Amino acid sequence: MTESKPLRVGMVGYAFMGAAHSHAWRTAPRFFDLPLVPELAAVAGRDPERVAAAAAKLGWGSTETDWRRLIERDDIDLIDICTPGNTHAEIAIAALEAGKHVLCEKPLANSVAEAERMTAAADSAAARGVLSMCGFSYRRTPALALAKRLVDSGALGEIRHVRAQYLQDWLTDENAPLTWRLDQSKSGSGSLGDIGAHIIDAAQWVTGQNIVGLSALLETFVKERPIAGDFVGLGGYGGADAPRGPVTVDDAAAFTARLDGGAVGVFEATRFALGRKNAMRLEVNGTKGSLAFDFEDMNSLWVYDAAQEPNAGFRRIQVTEPEHPYTGHWWPVGHGLGYEHAFTHQVVDLVEAIAAGKQPTPSFADALTVQRVLEAVEASAADESRWTKVSGSAGVSGSARASVSTRVGGA
Ligand code: SOE
């Protein structure tokens, strides 16, 4: 058997996404026969002690304290961007121009302008055989990939509705600290871009239809949070008596949408759905059937077939059969997979695309369509001109914002 060539990876950032991506780079060649073998060559982070500890823990061969060094090194083939959104454009464009393949976490950028520049750089790099992907990892959850197969097969008929929610509750406590995800200058937006981006991409990908217009509202329930905090990751605490700083992003987003294939969409993203920990949900209703997915039951896909006995209801497909997407590479039927497996599948598909010289998906251009929807949601929510008040009501106290229909840019 010929020795597979290495694919030498340099990762920027090593927090939650860095840990998930490290696991994926390490695990993919152990469960899938890959045409290129990922090597965890180097991880970059500003703090030398912390990045050295992360390299030891996550299995990286060397460290850099400046991401630019990763791009200069000729022993690195691909840059994996696991940093806050305000850094994505600079790192991705520099890497692509230097001939490095790129995997960039979602959302692609913090603005449409940045995402357009990144997509232009990706398009010109692709002409030189340098490829890129945006990390909408939920596409690689087997049940969602099976959902797409069913829609593409015509099993659901013409799609009338797509209903998507992403519900978390880690910010319900008003003393949860002011992390970078709550700072617009770093994250670009709050629940909208962090988790709303996932359901926008999933809805467009599964239905094959893009959002072309919407009406939205955004809300920030807790306006100030503790600045200092010894928290780690998402859920630490800064303490009720710590000095407080302003929250500059949305806590919750909701919007209705029209899609270019005629379907109607309803979307909701929040970190205040107390009791919902990571409920990324999608329901699609067609003329011949429906399907429903909830990440909190991620090995199941619920399907309704109009041709069946009318009151037979939804039936549960346990998505662990060898013929289901990705699952045959893991455990016997019924044993199930977890959150981290989608990241491993993401690496598998990326490596196979690079080896074949084919454009990985989702491409930066795919991710740009999501960025345009995010921008339209913010424009709609900010335009107070056409919010329709209910007659006789005094309106909502506080900062409720009007919502009006807004065309998605570029659609
Ligand atoms: C936090 O909301 C978060 O970590 C997102 O940033 C990830 O993209 C998602 O996969 C899990 O939740």
Side-chain angles (χ1 to χ4, degrees):
M1 189 178 96
T2 50
E3 185 68 19
S4 291
K5 264 183 61 184
L7 179 70
R8 300 162 300 179
V9 181
M11 184 172 77
V12 188
Y14 50 82
F16 177 11
M17 286 301 111
H21 284 225
S22 303
H23 173 90
W25 291 116
R26 288 194 312 268
T27 307
R30 290 172 171 72
F31 284 83
F32 293 78
D33 297 327
L34 296 180
L36 298 170
V37 180
E39 278 181 14
L40 285 71
V43 57
R46 282 162 301 185
D47 181 309
E49 282 78 38
R50 285 189 176 185
V51 73
K57 181 175 180 185
L58 299 175
W60 291 87
S62 64
T63 63
E64 297 291 350
T65 54
D66 180 348
W67 58 265
R68 294 167 187 81
R69 276 287 304 133
L70 295 183
I71 290 174
E72 288 161 5
R73 284 173 54 167
D74 57 14
D75 64 339
I76 286 177
D77 307 308
L78 180 145
I79 300 294
D80 183 6
I81 304 172
C82 294
T83 51
N86 62 312
T87 63
H88 290 183
E90 184 183 15
I91 299 171
I93 292 169
L96 290 164
E97 288 175 350
K100 309 289 189 193
H101 304 297
V102 171
L103 171 59
C104 182
E105 259 297 323
K106 45 49 65 183
L108 185 65
N110 282 0
S111 71
V112 165
E114 284 179 345
E116 286 173 338
R117 287 195 297 115
M118 294 169 80
T119 301
D123 291 347
S124 63
R128 291 180 275 117
V130 177
L131 300 169
S132 47
M133 177 200 264
C134 186
F136 284 108
S137 55
Y138 285 111
R139 291 184 177 207
R140 270 86 191 185
T141 302
L144 264 190
L146 179 61
K148 174 150 182 71
R149 258 191 210 170
L150 290 175
V151 173
D152 287 357
S153 75
L156 269 63
E158 201 171 339
I159 304 304
R160 298 285 192 233
H161 286 278
V162 56
R163 193 166 299 108
Q165 303 166 321
Y166 200 149
L167 312 175
Q168 295 178 337
D169 69 357
W170 56 280
L171 284 176
T172 312
D173 182 336
E174 65 182 17
N175 292 317
L178 204 59
T179 64
W180 67 264
R181 281 184 166 88
L182 298 166
D183 174 355
Q184 197 276 342
S185 67
K186 293 191 172 61
S187 63
S189 61
S191 62
L192 175 64
D194 184 22
I195 50 181
H198 276 300
I199 54 176
I200 293 164
D201 177 67
Q204 295 191 137
W205 180 65
V206 169
T207 64
Q209 300 188 29
N210 278 358
I211 295 170
V212 293
L214 57 88
S215 175
L217 68 81
L218 296 175
E219 189 50 75
T220 302
F221 299 114
V222 175
K223 315 278 189 220
E224 287 191 336
R225 289 184 177 275
I227 292 172
D230 56 359
F231 62 88
V232 175
L234 299 176
Y237 285 85
D241 53 358
R244 301 177 88 85
V247 172
T248 52
V249 296
D250 58 283
D251 287 328
F255 62 98
T256 53
R258 290 190 183 286
L259 289 84
D260 57 12
V264 168
V266 180
F267 295 79
E268 184 186 8
T270 180
R271 292 134 157 186
F272 280 71
L274 202 51
R276 299 297 182 197
K277 301 306 175 183
N278 199 45
M280 188 269 196
R281 297 170 170 175
L282 189 73
E283 178 162 327
V284 179
N285 307 129
T287 53
K288 291 162 64 179
S290 293
L291 58 82
F293 169 77
D294 182 344
F295 182 81
E296 290 191 349
D297 178 18
M298 68 165 278
N299 294 288
S300 301
L301 183 66
W302 291 84
V303 176
Y304 182 90
D305 177 355
Q308 70 189 16
E309 178 62 32
N311 60 4
F314 278 78
R315 63 187 170 85
R316 175 180 175 243
I317 299 177
Q318 200 174 180
V319 189
T320 59
E321 299 296 323
E323 63 270 15
H324 289 147
Y326 307 107
T327 44
H329 289 264
W330 298 99
W331 319 125
V333 293
H335 288 63
L337 301 183
Y339 174 73
E340 75 283 10
H341 289 86
F343 291 86
T344 299
H345 303 155
Q346 178 170 268
V347 160
V348 169
D349 292 346
L350 175 58
V351 169
E352 288 179 347
I354 288 172
K358 289 205 175 86
Q359 174 59 55
T361 57
S363 64
F364 280 13
D366 295 328
L368 173 56
T369 71
V370 175
Q371 209 73 43
R372 293 190 191 284
V373 174
L374 299 178
E375 181 186 75
V377 168
E378 295 198 319
S380 173
D383 180 344
E384 307 203 350
S385 65
R386 288 164 53 194
W387 175 260
T388 304
K389 271 179 64 180
V390 173
S391 63
S393 77
V396 178
S397 63
S399 61
R401 293 189 184 85
S403 78
V404 288
S405 75
T406 302
R407 214 174 63 77
V408 174

